[in-house]
Amino acid sequence: MLDQRTKELINSTIPALKDRGEEITKVFYHKLFKRYPEVKGMFDMEKQANGTQPKALALAVLNAARNIENLDRIAASINSIAKVHVNLGVKPEHYPLVGECLLAAIKEVLNPTDEVLEAWAKGYGIIADYYINVESKLINA
Ligand code: HEM
């Protein structure tokens, strides 16, 4: 569970994320593929080139941030993304790599305070755990 202050800090960054979400995800992918080239093979580079995938990730992160208090509300959308992940071989151990690069991208683009970054680290942890749980149920179904 997230404390009130963390939720407020996450909520306070939603407008900035909305405005610069695509830029953040582009920086994010750049970092992810540079730091962890081993995950690159799972991604469709055509989608990277035309910006479809950066847009989808930005929207999903934004949607999760808006519903951080009750991710069950967006279970249908998370479920369909989870199916794509499972089919492409996304594993629980990939989530910290994505989290690290996402936070680094938020830091680079928005230059937020340390407190905001820590709030996002906690928020990402909640969102990642939710996805990992849905994906493990799909795998074991
Ligand atoms: C909470 C974290 C994450 C969110 C919000 C997220 C969101 C998304 C979204 C919205 C899509 C598009 C789904 C569609 O096409 O309908 C997607 C696809 C994908 N995701 Fe994630 N994802 C997350 C974590 C990860 C992780 C940890 C990996 C593994 C490194 C990953 C790898 C992929 C891949 C390979 C695709 C297919 C898209 C392509 O071919 O470029 N995702 N994700």
Side-chain angles (χ1 to χ4, degrees):
M1 274 311 270
L2 288 178
D3 58 276
Q4 196 53 35
R5 175 79 183 143
T6 303
K7 281 183 223 158
E8 281 166 14
L9 287 168
I10 291 175
N11 283 331
S12 74
T13 54
I14 287 178
L17 264 184
K18 194 171 178 223
D19 287 349
R20 307 195 61 189
E22 282 185 46
E23 200 182 331
I24 293 168
T25 35
K26 276 187 193 140
V27 173
F28 156 74
Y29 279 114
H30 184 78
K31 290 187 187 299
L32 183 70
F33 297 153
K34 202 169 159 195
R35 293 182 190 181
Y36 303 106
E38 65 271 23
V39 304
K40 207 171 166 178
M42 285 190 285
F43 288 86
D44 176 345
M45 287 303 141
E46 175 69 21
K47 283 188 192 166
Q48 291 292 322
N50 69 26
T52 319
Q53 175 55 16
K55 213 179 270 177
L57 181 79
L59 287 173
V61 170
L62 200 60
N63 199 20
R66 282 202 186 101
N67 292 284
I68 194 82
E69 289 177 67
N70 186 4
L71 290 170
D72 288 341
R73 257 199 311 249
I74 56 161
S77 111
I78 292 182
N79 258 307
S80 73
I81 299 165
K83 281 183 194 150
V84 174
H85 282 163
V86 168
N87 285 333
L88 290 168
V90 173
K91 300 274 181 308
E93 58 265 32
H94 294 134
Y95 279 84
L97 316 184
V98 163
E100 175 201 309
C101 297
L102 189 61
L103 284 171
I106 291 176
K107 187 174 174 162
E108 187 175 312
V109 177
L110 298 182
N111 195 24
T113 63
D114 287 348
E115 206 190 6
V116 165
L117 267 183
E118 274 163 34
W120 261 99
K122 286 187 201 160
Y124 175 80
I126 304 249
I127 297 165
D129 285 349
Y130 195 98
Y131 270 85
I132 290 168
N133 186 38
V134 171
E135 286 162 17
S136 75
K137 282 188 185 140
L138 286 174
I139 289 166
N140 298 314

